[in-house]
């Protein structure tokens, strides 16, 4: 295997030349049907200045050229439908196709969001039942499906905390955030008008109750923590942590992006959390990547329910549903319409298809898979927090860095072996972090192949680190200037 990968070189065949460079004057890829309406000159409709007689550099190609161009581009991509996508913290699990079928049902998929309530009873019922399921799963009392992503859920939850504390007579100044937190946490705290106070993690990688007790003053609105945390470790002191925050009149926000480790096994409401968000696009299998769509429902205790975004879906005694706006304590709307309705439908389909036992099984498989990867690689890769993990495990590149090879280089080499890289350099408290989240979607054969690839790369680093430093070797483009690619992306072809 190793040799094959070493010698494979990308070769751009004639077929792969970009379509735009294959233009041939007079060729056409479309055959329009005869007009069945009176012909109107475009100038008459658009005005002379909006009509151009020619598009500069526009390729003239045949239908088969166009089909081949787009089919080829689609094969240059890598997604969860192509192979393992162990991007830690992102829960890149398989999106079951049944969810898509359900979300595309005529009716819910096509109803206008402003349709009168009597005509969209089915949609409102779907929203109400999705919220009910999430109440059950989180152990909290009420859910809003409005937020469009995890980060917006964080902001919504913090604004709820703020509104509640102001009601209780004291706006506070700070929110405690562990140093292992996802970058969105401090950002949300700041946007919600609080100041961040970082909380140093213990040697075990967890919140240290005595450090928390010191930091938790009456100026502090609460604690924002992720459980399991971003090291993939369950906060075993969570009950004590919540008690300390509550004793000082603060509230506990849980970043629920890692719920794939808990669904059906543990409920945050039961261990003392007041408000949390869920990422439907992670834990509940709705598709994500490439910027959207997302859905970040927020779950709260009964005491915080009055502050949830308006409107909420209400079920009347006669079994009908309505959108209820008259909520004087609500923080207001955080998103248009009903949130990302299609994502709620997909999540509900997923939850109902699995049922309680299936959801629990998925969680247990996700945890098992991560522990399997951790155990089979710990002899070759450093484990800074060496203990059983939850749904993801975090190695560091310490041993490989001694040979000059860093986490990003190993990730690039994984591409040659046909895998999407793990998450590099996060969480920040692990220098050279390599964060692997296989999810329950990966079968044992696939995990073994991934493990073999990382084992083989470790050996390559011993034998020839420079070769790994130049990876990937099999892709059309090797290393991008990532900063420039992010800041000045070239997203369309232009005639030269
Ligand atoms: C993904 C993630 C978020 C942010 O969620 P988005 O939906 O991307 O906004 C927050 N915290 C953690 C730990 C995450 O993994």
């Amino acid at each position: 295997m190793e040799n094959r990968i070493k010698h494979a070189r990308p070769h751009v065949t004639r077929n792969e030349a970009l379509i735009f460079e294959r233009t041939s004057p007079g060729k056409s890829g479309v055959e329009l049907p005869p007009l069945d309406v009176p012909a109107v000159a475009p100038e008459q409709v658009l005005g002379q200045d909006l009509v151009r007689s020619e598009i500069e550099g526009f390729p003239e190609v045949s239908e088969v050229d166009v089909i081949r161009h787009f089919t080829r581009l689609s094969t240059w991509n890598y997604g969860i439908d192509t192979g393992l996508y162990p991007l830690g913290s992102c829960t890149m699990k398989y999106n079951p196709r049944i969810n898509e079928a359900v979300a595309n049902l005529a009716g819910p998929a096509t109803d206008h969001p402003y349709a009168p309530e009597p005509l969209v009873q089915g949609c409102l019922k779907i929203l109400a039942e999705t919220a009910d399921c999430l109440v059950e799963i989180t152990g909290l009392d009420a859910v809003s499906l409005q937020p469009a992503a995890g980060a917006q859920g964080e902001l919504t939850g913090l604004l709820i905390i703020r509104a509640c504390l102001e009601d209780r007579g004291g706006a506070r100044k700070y929110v405690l955030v562990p140093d292992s937190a996802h970058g969105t946490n401090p950002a949300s705290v700041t946007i919600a008008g609080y100041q961040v106070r970082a909380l140093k993690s213990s040697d075990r990688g967890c919140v240290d109750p005595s450090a928390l007790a010191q930091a938790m003053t009456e100026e502090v609105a609460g604690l924002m923590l992720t459980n399991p945390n971003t090291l993939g470790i369950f906060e075993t002191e969570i009950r004590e942590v919540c008690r300390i925050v509550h004793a000082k009149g603060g509230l506990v926000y849980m970043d629920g992006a890692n719920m794939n480790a808990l669904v059906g096994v543990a409920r945050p409401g039961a261990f003392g959390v007041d408000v949390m968000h869920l990422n439907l696009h992670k834990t509940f299998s709705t598709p994500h990547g490439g910027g959207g769509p997302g859905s970040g429902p927020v779950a709260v205790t009964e005491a915080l329910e009055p502050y949830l975004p308006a409107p909420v879906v209400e079920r009347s005694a006669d079994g009908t549903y309505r959108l209820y706006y008259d909520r004087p304590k609500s923080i207001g709307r955080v998103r248009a319409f009903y949130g990302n309705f299609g994502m709620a439908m997909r999540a509900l389909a997923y939850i109902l298809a699995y049922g309680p036992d299936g959801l629990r099984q998925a969680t247990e498989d996700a945890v098992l898979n991560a522990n399997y990867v951790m155990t089979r690689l710990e002899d070759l890769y450093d484990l800074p927090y060496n203990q059983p993990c939850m749904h993801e495990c975090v190695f560091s590149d310490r041993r490989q860095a001694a040979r000059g090879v860093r986490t990003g280089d190993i990730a690039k080499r994984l591409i040659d072996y046909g895998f999407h890289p793990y998450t590099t350099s996060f969480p920040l408290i692990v220098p050279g972090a390599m964060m692997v989240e296989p999810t329950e979607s990966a079968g044992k054969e696939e995990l073994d192949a991934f493990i073999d690839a990382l084992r083989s790369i470790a050996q390559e680093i011993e034998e020839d680190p420079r070769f790994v430093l130049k990876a990937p070797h099999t892709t059309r483009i090797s290393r991008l200037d990532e900063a420039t690619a992010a800041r000045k992306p070239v997203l369309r072809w232009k005639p030269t």
Side-chain angles (χ1 to χ4, degrees):
M1 178 162 178
E2 195 201 330
N3 272 349
R4 206 183 66 222
I5 289 166
K6 264 199 170 174
H7 297 298
R9 284 287 180 278
H11 54 286
V12 178
T13 62
R14 201 193 79 85
N15 257 352
E16 291 181 353
L18 282 175
I19 192 169
F20 301 103
E21 275 116 39
R22 300 180 64 195
T23 181
S24 160
K27 258 196 189 178
S28 167
V30 283
E31 190 88 38
L32 296 175
L35 271 186
D36 57 358
V37 291
V40 181
E43 298 79 26
Q44 269 175 271
V45 187
L46 297 171
Q48 193 64 51
D49 51 335
L50 288 179
V51 177
R52 44 186 177 178
S53 58
E54 198 170 341
I55 305 173
E56 199 201 335
F58 196 73
E60 294 177 72
V61 289
S62 68
E63 179 174 325
V64 65
D65 287 335
V66 174
I67 294 292
R68 285 183 182 156
H69 172 73
F70 286 106
T71 305
R72 193 159 48 241
L73 284 187
S74 76
T75 66
W76 289 2
N77 212 344
Y78 189 96
I80 187 64
D81 293 340
T82 323
L84 187 70
Y85 207 129
L87 196 62
S89 213
C90 294
T91 314
M92 302 303 287
K93 63 165 80 175
Y94 172 65
N95 315 128
R97 289 304 181 270
I98 182 83
N99 300 354
E100 296 305 310
V102 169
N104 281 304
L105 287 177
T110 49
D111 280 342
H112 193 280
Y114 280 146
E117 286 167 27
L119 297 183
V120 289
Q121 285 294 303
C123 294
L124 297 179
K125 185 174 181 195
I126 288 167
L127 292 173
E129 293 196 351
T130 308
D132 287 350
C133 289
L134 300 180
V135 161
E136 182 66 28
I137 287 167
T138 57
L140 285 156
D141 300 311
V143 162
S144 166
L145 299 172
Q146 261 187 39
Q152 205 196 7
E154 292 171 23
L155 176 61
T156 303
L158 287 160
L159 292 176
I160 288 172
I161 288 179
R162 186 177 194 100
C164 168
L165 292 181
E166 278 173 5
D167 242 10
R168 289 180 185 172
R172 299 181 173 202
K173 261 171 95 174
Y174 303 100
V175 172
L176 304 175
V177 183
D179 54 7
S180 58
H182 192 263
T184 49
N185 291 190
S188 300
V189 168
T190 309
I191 296 174
Y194 287 111
Q195 288 174 45
V196 177
R197 274 202 178 154
L199 204 56
K200 199 170 152 11
S201 301
S202 72
D203 296 344
R204 281 194 60 245
C206 292
V207 173
D208 175 359
S210 57
L212 173 67
Q214 263 191 352
M216 189 60 219
T217 66
E218 271 157 29
E219 279 189 312
V220 174
L223 168 70
M224 188 172 196
L225 96 171
T226 311
N227 194 20
N229 62 33
T230 58
L231 295 162
I233 298 170
F234 187 81
E235 296 277 353
T236 44
E237 302 289 331
I238 185 69
R239 292 183 75 123
E240 175 63 4
V241 162
C242 294
R243 194 196 60 73
I244 293 168
V245 175
H246 291 153
K248 285 281 160 60
L251 294 166
V252 178
Y253 184 97
M254 182 174 125
D255 176 334
N258 291 343
M259 269 303 275
N260 211 40
L262 301 186
V263 174
V265 176
R267 305 200 302 167
F271 49 67
V273 165
D274 298 289
V275 45
M276 67 180 290
H277 78 264
L278 294 157
N279 297 61
L280 297 189
H281 48 287
K282 293 179 179 170
T283 315
F284 297 95
S285 89
T286 70
H288 75 299
S295 181
V298 166
V300 296
T301 56
E302 202 176 353
L304 296 181
E305 192 275 339
Y307 306 97
L308 279 181
V312 295
V313 181
E314 272 203 350
R315 197 179 339 229
S316 322
D318 66 358
T320 58
Y321 295 87
R322 64 169 183 156
L323 289 168
Y324 193 66
Y325 288 86
D326 186 17
R327 296 172 53 81
K329 286 180 186 276
S330 165
I331 61 162
R333 226 183 218 295
V334 299
R335 194 190 179 283
F337 306 128
Y338 316 110
N340 271 334
F341 178 71
M343 300 311 252
M345 273 190 97
R346 288 176 176 87
L348 183 61
Y350 173 83
I351 290 168
L352 295 179
Y354 269 123
D357 295 341
L359 290 175
R360 186 190 177 101
Q361 178 80 52
T363 301
E364 290 172 351
D365 289 351
V367 173
L368 178 66
N369 279 355
N371 279 281
Y372 181 67
V373 171
M374 185 182 85
T375 311
R376 288 220 34 221
L377 288 172
E378 64 184 342
D379 59 327
L380 296 179
Y381 293 94
D382 194 47
L383 263 183
Y385 297 91
N386 194 349
Q387 58 191 297
C389 64
M390 298 292 286
H391 66 308
E392 59 194 353
C393 57
V394 182
F395 298 98
S396 94
D397 64 9
R398 196 175 59 90
R399 278 182 239 175
Q400 290 70 30
R403 314 252 319 142
V405 179
R406 304 304 313 265
T407 174
D409 304 313
I410 301 166
K412 295 282 190 210
R413 183 65 179 136
L414 264 178
I415 297 171
D416 287 336
Y417 284 83
F419 293 103
H420 193 284
Y422 50 75
T423 291
T424 62
S425 310
F426 174 79
L428 298 177
I429 58 168
V430 174
M434 306 165 56
M435 183 192 219
V436 182
E437 181 181 8
T439 84
E440 71 278 13
S441 305
K444 181 166 178 299
E445 299 78 9
E446 201 177 12
L447 288 182
D448 284 336
F450 175 71
I451 289 162
D452 286 349
L454 274 173
R455 297 193 70 84
S456 167
I457 294 169
Q459 198 182 339
E460 289 172 358
I461 294 168
E462 290 305 313
E463 289 163 4
D464 187 2
R466 277 174 314 168
F467 181 73
V468 177
L469 288 172
K470 291 205 195 94
H473 300 277
T474 57
T475 51
R476 282 167 184 79
I477 294 171
S478 185
R479 296 216 180 187
L480 292 173
D481 172 348
E482 289 177 6
T484 308
R487 290 187 179 80
K488 293 185 188 154
V490 181
L491 299 178
R492 57 179 286 258
W493 180 86
K494 289 198 188 106
T496 44

